[in-house]
Amino acid sequence: MAEERCKAWEFIGKNGEFRLEEADKSSYLYFPLSNEAGMMSVVTPKLHGDIKTSQNTFALMPVSVEDLHNTKSARNFWLNIDDEIIWSATGNSAQQIALHFNPEDEKVTVEAGLLWHKVIRENEKLGIKSEITSFVPANDDTVELMEVKITNIGEKDKKITPTAAIPIYGRSADNLRDHRHVTSLLHRIKTIDSGIVVNPTLSFDERGHQINDVSYGVLGSNQNGERPVGFCPIVEDFIGEGGNLEWPKAIVKNLDVYCQAGKELEGFESIGGLRFKDTILKAGEEESYIIAIAIGENVDIVDSLAEKYLNKDLFDNYLSQNRAYWEEKINKVQFKSGNPDYDNWMKWVTLQPILRRIYGCSFLPHHDYGRGGRGWRDLWQDCLALLLMEPEGVRDLLLNNFAGIRIDGSNATIIGSKPGEFIADRNNISRVWMDHGSWPFLTTKLYIDQSGDIDFLLEGQTYFKDAQIYRSKRNDENWEPEDGNKLLDREGNIYKGSILEHMLVQHLTLFFNVGEHNNFKLEGADWNDGLDMAEERGESVAFTALYASNLLEMANLLRELAERREINKLEIAREMKLLLDTLNNKVDYDSVEAKHKLLGQYFDSCVSRVSGDKVEISIEELANDLKVKGNWIIDHLRKNEWIKNNEGYEWFNGYYDNDGKRLEGDHPLGTRMTLTGQVFTIMGGVATDEQVEKIVKAADHYLKDDIVGGYRLNTNFKELKTNLGRLFGFAFGHKENGAMFSHMAVMYGNALYQRGFAKEGYEVINSIYRHCKEFKTSRIYPGIPEYINQRGRGLYHYLTGSASWLLLTEVTQVYGVRGELGNLVLNPKLLKKQFDNEGNANIYTLFANRPINVIYKNQKELEFGEYNIIDIIINDEEINFEIKDQSAIIKKELIERLSLDDVNEIEVILG
Ligand code: G1P
């Protein structure tokens, strides 16, 4: 494809602020504006994009990415200049669009930061300029604010007649193609002193209509707080017969369609059409207008926002509060390396997990699915980053999340909006993702390592219960929704087990749930949602490896628990003891049948309820059981899944398809390899060091491609593999079929770092960064997108689990600052080029709730592998530390003496 020339964004501040000139020359750009109250907006360089607080409360019409260029329903602000020229300050007029390709006509620049967005539009010929700043204040209000500043950059005086025009959709996203017209009949519209408020009578749903109390308002004033002089609340009046939102007759013909405050109308599509008084702007003069787009519980609440926000001083004040709020939030982790642009780019990556906490996996233009909320695996992986950024509430969050696990090791997949709220799946048989059981352990392990709170393992929690049993292979006829969503014991009491027990059941059930090649069954899919068509015979070797390393790590954690708590026994559900076969009658692990038999017995024992009885087991025996199982898997994988192809490359096979055929290796249609198959074998130590080297060679050969910014998820299978999953229906190089899928690529980088392959790990991460920064190809603002497609474009920006993993990788691997049961471990894996000119690299982060600033001093300019930690000085005092496997370990007791409020300076001398 011929590449359009374009400017690239550049950073203009230290907190990720950037500027993109000619922003209107790129399509599909969007930027999020949000707050913790759940206001979720998205804006484009032409102020397109929607605003909502949930699936059912969209103030502006919901947009999918194609709508950004395809619909006219955007935020708009019109000027009639000297009764002659019609100009849209947002660029959304038919005339401007027609002239758009002549760069001389209008210059459009976007500047943005945390979390504000400014578009500057300058038309020298007309002598007019607009600067529109948008943000969502960081407080409890669900309101988006805009300041529209108009400047006369010409030489003569100008009379301007300004009109804000913001179409109010005011209903559920579902109504876009479900009674769009009928739902406009529900609209009750009022003009108030400051603007227009729509309060639909009902929230329309043919399964049961409900009285609606949500109101939507567009309010405005000029910079001094003077309210509009007229209101046009009905779309058809505003556009006029034959007009449209980009050439509305109300503006173009200067029609008198405006009414006064106090008017009530009903039953039409509405618009926040606010006419402001005419103003004479002398040359060089400017005038500002403040617009608020609000979602509120009732008209009065919306009205009250007018007082709070509608004048320039208030706007400026809230804007600076907003910047300070977000800067403080993301500056909980900061990096300073030899590449300031990278450090700045990481600010956006750091913000992304917070955005995903707010938006879920829906509500940005590419994320046009789901109804808000996140999936199970996202819930856990997003916590990885939150542990670093917002550690305060994470213990509760984790504890609550465990209530979603079923006693058969599967979990609820419909996650409610409150922490710990899981909703029963009413489908008879629902899908089970086999990877789901592996994430809680990873996150919990990180939590315990960072905090030292090993007692968390013994905390009690309920189990989730619905009609799904036998890992959703059967239905529990005895369960009724009225029984509630908590597992009961035989007496009808709510059953609770420890957190450890929850994680055990997730791992042990899967250990026995194997396919014909004795790897864990793929079930409904694994991490890759697109591998969803191999339910019967598919196997995920990739995730079998992750579970294996989890089992081994869990065994270590148990031994630590025994030592720290001075205990040697703990309690688990009586039924579960069956799964600890080495404590009873050891099953022949080579026999798939024997494994199934035991699993069947376990499932039979906990169909509707559990007994409620607990048995005591020895921690040593339990740890040993897990170890035996983990080691068996590792041997099995090394023996059976390591492949060598005709070209002499070697790597791990990751999957079996629904015909029971191995996926990877040589194939008449071309070599088949997946990245996922390599990531977890490397991460968990299934691959030996020599195997890692071979995998890297194979991945570099088959998967690496600069066109997509690094390592593809798979090679081109050139086949619609309906015996494996829908992803083979996607064009190659897109999304889960062979794109550079950031989440897995970053995990690949992480795995390489974990194994000490720093140069290789750096290359993985850096190639993603380099690509994203190459704006002419990636066409995204700073940050990491979900994937890079075949043309090199970044898609599904902002909401992606890869951001959590990238942040985690930078902190715990690249800068090597991590916990080990509360001890602080320092093990930098920075390459020479990552240090600055003075030989320093610096990370500021929280550890055990204490702010620490770690400065690595590499004065001798040594390369990774050449340097060791020689000395550590904390707050000007040299301290004792232990060196283990290149890592310096600083004891928990010493960390506990550090300040909780003041920054603790940790100088680490490398030599
Ligand atoms: C998305 C989903 C994630 C899933 C992945 C692959 O990735 O959110 O749960 O595992 O696709 O199918 P993400 O958005 O995290 O980049």
Side-chain angles (χ1 to χ4, degrees):
M1 194 186 59
E3 224 167 52
E4 281 253 348
R5 283 187 35 185
C6 71
K7 302 245 168 111
W9 49 256
E10 53 178 1
F11 286 116
I12 52 170
K14 289 206 168 91
N15 278 306
E17 298 89 346
F18 65 90
R19 176 185 297 126
L20 174 66
E21 289 176 17
E22 300 182 357
D24 57 332
K25 304 282 184 286
S26 290
S27 300
Y28 305 116
L29 280 174
Y30 54 80
F31 186 84
L33 297 173
S34 181
N35 68 5
E36 302 280 353
M39 189 68 163
M40 297 176 283
S41 290
V42 56
V43 281
T44 74
K46 290 173 86 180
L47 295 185
H48 212 303
D50 56 27
I51 306 179
K52 63 265 146 188
T53 53
S54 74
Q55 171 78 0
N56 296 319
T57 47
F58 273 74
L60 304 197
M61 195 174 85
V63 285
S64 185
V65 76
E66 289 301 316
D67 301 319
L68 296 178
H69 61 80
N70 213 1
T71 68
K72 299 181 168 73
S73 188
R75 300 165 187 80
N76 212 334
F77 194 94
W78 294 93
L79 294 183
N80 182 328
I81 306 171
D82 295 331
D83 295 323
E84 234 174 274
I85 293 158
I86 303 299
W87 192 69
S88 158
T90 63
N92 293 312
S93 80
Q95 209 171 39
Q96 277 154 294
I97 291 164
L99 294 174
H100 166 78
F101 296 104
N102 183 359
E104 305 308 309
D105 284 320
E106 248 169 40
K107 276 201 202 106
V108 180
T109 302
V110 164
E111 288 178 5
L114 299 162
L115 264 176
W116 56 271
H117 178 274
K118 185 197 258 190
V119 200
I120 306 153
R121 180 173 284 273
E122 238 177 306
N123 190 319
E124 267 182 43
K125 235 195 253 167
L126 298 180
I128 196 92
K129 174 179 164 187
S130 68
E131 279 173 77
I132 307 183
T133 306
S134 308
F135 72 100
V136 169
N139 56 25
D140 290 339
D141 294 331
T142 42
V143 61
E144 179 191 301
L145 303 177
M146 275 162 78
E147 180 200 27
V148 183
K149 194 201 284 175
I150 306 293
T151 313
N152 179 358
I153 54 169
E155 278 150 20
K156 294 194 195 118
D157 292 1
K158 284 187 176 63
K159 184 183 102 179
I160 57 164
T161 307
T163 313
I166 296 167
I168 303 173
Y169 173 76
R171 63 198 101 165
S172 166
D174 297 347
N175 299 131
L176 205 52
R177 186 64 193 100
D178 180 9
H179 298 89
R180 164 87 201 235
H181 173 256
V182 165
T183 46
S184 70
L185 307 181
L186 305 171
H187 281 184
R188 299 291 182 271
I189 307 161
K190 263 190 190 163
T191 56
I192 57 174
D193 185 36
S194 58
I196 291 168
V197 183
V198 178
N199 176 228
T201 48
L202 298 171
S203 114
F204 185 92
D205 181 344
E206 281 194 301
R207 284 158 297 180
H209 309 306
Q210 289 184 3
I211 300 280
N212 165 65
D213 355 272
V214 182
S215 293
Y216 306 86
V218 172
L219 317 174
S221 76
N222 70 5
Q223 61 197 29
N224 307 318
E226 284 173 82
R227 303 300 192 235
V229 293
F231 306 93
C232 179
I234 308 277
V235 171
E236 61 182 62
D237 295 341
F238 186 70
I239 62 174
E241 296 299 333
N244 65 46
L245 285 171
E246 281 167 358
W247 207 237
K249 284 205 176 157
I251 301 292
V252 178
K253 303 262 178 211
N254 211 359
L255 302 178
D256 185 14
V257 287
Y258 301 91
C259 64
Q260 294 307 302
K263 183 121 177 149
E264 296 192 10
L265 301 126
E266 52 184 48
F268 290 98
E269 289 289 342
S270 58
I271 184 164
L274 314 184
R275 163 61 66 88
F276 296 95
K277 72 171 192 204
D278 292 355
T279 302
I280 305 288
L281 283 185
K282 296 210 175 94
E285 262 186 4
E286 58 184 43
E287 171 84 23
S288 278
Y289 301 87
I290 312 293
I291 311 291
I293 308 167
I295 304 177
E297 265 161 41
N298 54 52
V299 178
D300 292 343
I301 289 192
V302 171
D303 192 14
S304 69
L305 298 174
E307 282 308 309
K308 192 163 172 187
Y309 294 111
L310 295 186
N311 82 43
K312 186 167 166 49
D313 290 344
L314 292 169
F315 181 91
D316 289 344
N317 212 358
Y318 282 107
L319 177 59
S320 44
Q321 277 176 25
N322 188 64
R323 292 167 81 138
Y325 175 87
W326 288 104
E327 281 163 18
E328 199 210 314
K329 200 143 219 160
I330 64 133
N331 281 336
K332 295 259 169 59
V333 182
Q334 297 175 51
F335 306 98
K336 198 164 161 285
S337 70
N339 184 349
D341 271 2
Y342 183 77
D343 303 340
N344 239 339
W345 182 75
M346 275 305 298
K347 304 248 176 218
W348 291 96
V349 174
T350 309
L351 174 75
Q352 289 182 235
I354 298 174
L355 291 176
R356 188 140 102 164
R357 175 168 60 64
I358 297 172
Y359 286 75
C361 298
S362 311
F363 302 140
L364 285 181
H366 277 113
H367 299 77
D368 53 0
Y369 50 76
R371 306 173 62 81
R374 280 172 290 172
W376 176 260
R377 83 170 67 84
D378 303 331
L379 197 66
W380 289 95
Q381 288 180 88
D382 294 350
C383 280
L384 294 172
L386 298 182
L387 265 162
L388 303 172
M389 306 285 302
E390 301 176 340
E392 315 85 36
V394 174
R395 189 182 203 270
D396 284 346
L397 195 65
L398 293 182
L399 187 62
N400 284 325
N401 289 351
F402 273 100
I405 295 171
R406 295 194 189 97
I407 198 74
D408 64 5
S410 66
N411 50 266
T413 47
I414 309 181
I415 294 157
S417 50
K418 296 192 205 91
E421 188 189 9
F422 298 98
I423 297 157
D425 199 322
R426 288 179 198 283
N427 293 332
N428 261 350
I429 297 296
S430 75
R431 198 167 151 191
V432 172
W433 283 263
M434 65 79 70
D435 67 305
H436 278 187
S438 61
W439 305 111
F441 177 73
L442 288 190
T443 310
T444 305
K445 172 87 175 27
L446 179 71
Y447 165 70
I448 294 175
D449 276 339
Q450 295 286 110
S451 63
D453 179 16
I454 200 162
D455 288 354
F456 182 67
L457 293 173
L458 301 177
E459 219 33 79
Q461 183 52 288
T462 55
Y463 283 86
F464 183 71
K465 174 68 188 152
D466 58 2
Q468 316 282 322
I469 50 174
Y470 292 76
R471 295 185 69 81
S472 299
K473 283 269 177 279
R474 293 196 206 166
N475 240 341
D476 178 5
E477 308 286 329
N478 298 325
W479 180 83
E480 297 291 337
E482 301 77 64
D483 298 342
N485 287 129
K486 293 194 186 335
L487 178 71
L488 304 179
D489 66 17
R490 76 163 100 68
E491 310 291 334
N493 301 316
I494 292 175
Y495 174 77
K496 274 192 176 182
S498 66
I499 294 305
L500 178 73
E501 187 191 278
H502 284 71
M503 294 193 291
L504 282 174
V505 80
Q506 291 185 304
H507 287 74
L508 295 173
T509 47
L510 279 196
F511 180 77
F512 296 101
N513 193 32
V514 289
E516 62 210 73
H517 302 91
N518 219 334
N519 303 298
F520 295 6
K521 282 189 178 162
L522 181 57
E523 303 183 283
D526 66 3
W527 165 88
N528 192 329
D529 288 329
L531 295 173
D532 55 352
M533 294 166 85
E535 176 111 52
E536 291 81 28
R537 295 176 68 188
E539 293 171 46
S540 171
V541 184
F543 275 84
T544 307
L546 177 58
Y547 279 100
S549 52
N550 279 359
L551 282 165
L552 296 182
E553 292 207 34
M554 216 184 292
N556 292 339
L557 205 55
L558 275 166
R559 292 194 169 121
E560 259 325 304
L561 175 74
E563 204 184 303
R564 295 206 173 196
R565 291 279 307 244
E566 297 181 358
I567 50 171
N568 51 26
K569 283 192 165 51
L570 46 80
E571 284 189 328
I572 59 164
R574 178 166 58 71
E575 291 79 354
M576 231 173 258
K577 194 166 174 208
L578 199 63
L579 299 170
L580 302 170
D581 60 304
T582 63
L583 276 64
N584 317 310
N585 294 317
K586 186 172 173 312
V587 165
D588 173 10
Y589 292 162
D590 292 333
S591 161
V592 172
E593 293 69 36
K595 281 181 170 166
H596 287 178
K597 190 163 156 238
L598 185 119
L599 185 61
Q601 283 168 3
Y602 173 69
F603 285 162
D604 291 345
S605 74
C606 49
V607 168
S608 296
R609 292 184 175 188
V610 283
S611 63
D613 302 336
K614 304 250 182 173
V615 288
E616 271 206 329
I617 48 167
S618 130
I619 297 185
E620 188 45 44
E621 282 176 13
L622 171 60
N624 188 54
D625 183 87
L626 304 183
K627 215 162 167 204
V628 171
K629 288 185 166 83
N631 283 333
W632 181 89
I633 298 174
I634 292 180
D635 284 349
H636 169 79
L637 298 181
R638 284 187 184 157
K639 228 179 273 158
N640 299 293
E641 302 300 340
W642 181 249
I643 51 180
K644 182 169 186 173
N645 78 344
N646 283 338
E647 293 189 289
Y649 289 98
E650 293 174 70
W651 69 93
F652 275 102
N653 169 51
Y655 294 92
Y656 285 87
D657 66 23
N658 218 23
D659 294 317
K661 293 239 170 67
R662 163 179 294 165
L663 186 69
E664 302 186 33
D666 292 320
H667 190 278
L669 296 173
T671 308
R672 294 182 167 181
M673 178 177 181
T674 70
L675 188 62
T676 316
Q678 319 319 314
V679 169
F680 299 106
T681 43
I682 297 178
M683 200 183 274
V686 175
T688 61
D689 281 356
E690 297 89 88
Q691 284 178 323
V692 178
E693 279 168 23
K694 288 178 176 163
I695 291 172
V696 168
K697 277 199 188 120
D700 282 352
H701 184 73
Y702 290 117
L703 300 174
K704 191 159 195 249
D705 191 342
D706 286 340
I707 292 172
V708 294
Y711 294 81
R712 290 180 184 275
L713 202 46
N714 51 271
T715 53
N716 190 350
F717 284 35
K718 299 179 189 145
E719 189 189 354
L720 184 63
K721 275 187 75 63
T722 50
N723 61 359
L724 192 51
R726 63 163 187 241
L727 74 84
F728 295 99
F730 303 164
F732 177 68
H734 296 260
K735 222 168 184 324
E736 279 101 337
N737 186 12
M740 190 293 291
F741 204 93
S742 306
H743 196 165
M744 194 48 70
V746 171
M747 285 196 278
Y748 179 52
N750 180 292
L752 289 167
Y753 272 113
Q754 284 202 39
R755 296 297 298 274
F757 288 76
K759 205 163 69 26
E760 293 77 2
Y762 173 83
E763 179 51 26
V764 177
I765 309 286
N766 195 46
S767 55
I768 300 175
Y769 163 69
R770 272 196 325 257
H771 188 93
C772 291
K773 185 141 196 302
E774 189 68 20
F775 180 77
K776 73 176 193 304
T777 326
S778 70
R779 304 271 172 169
I780 47 168
Y781 292 139
I784 188 167
E786 181 186 86
Y787 71 94
I788 302 287
N789 78 7
Q790 190 66 359
R791 288 182 167 175
R793 189 186 283 273
L795 285 95
Y796 294 72
H797 197 3
Y798 299 111
L799 310 180
T800 159
S802 54
S804 272
W805 273 89
L806 183 46
L807 183 63
L808 187 73
T809 304
E810 290 291 318
V811 175
T812 62
Q813 296 301 321
V814 180
Y815 287 80
V817 176
R818 62 192 164 80
E820 223 170 65
L821 299 162
N823 295 332
L824 172 62
V825 179
L826 299 175
N827 179 16
K829 292 172 186 148
L830 291 150
L831 304 188
K832 193 167 95 181
K833 59 182 160 200
Q834 289 174 283
F835 291 88
D836 66 16
N837 290 340
E838 274 126 48
N840 295 340
N842 180 334
I843 175 176
Y844 171 89
T845 183
L846 289 175
F847 183 75
N849 289 325
R850 287 156 176 86
I852 59 170
N853 186 31
V854 181
I855 310 166
Y856 291 112
K857 299 204 158 259
N858 183 13
Q859 311 297 319
K860 295 192 188 142
E861 298 186 11
L862 299 173
E863 186 46 281
F864 169 75
E866 294 169 357
Y867 60 71
N868 289 308
I869 295 181
I870 307 284
D871 250 326
I872 301 180
I873 299 139
I874 302 187
N875 298 333
D876 294 330
E877 233 179 84
E878 217 166 295
I879 58 130
N880 290 328
F881 59 93
E882 188 191 317
I883 289 278
K884 207 172 103 193
D885 304 332
Q886 313 289 316
S887 307
I889 301 171
I890 305 169
K891 286 273 175 239
K892 189 171 177 228
E893 296 67 38
L894 204 153
I895 299 297
E896 277 165 0
R897 292 208 297 271
L898 300 183
S899 168
L900 281 160
D901 308 311
D902 300 333
V903 180
N904 299 286
E905 298 290 340
I906 307 187
E907 228 177 81
V908 183
I909 315 294
L910 306 176

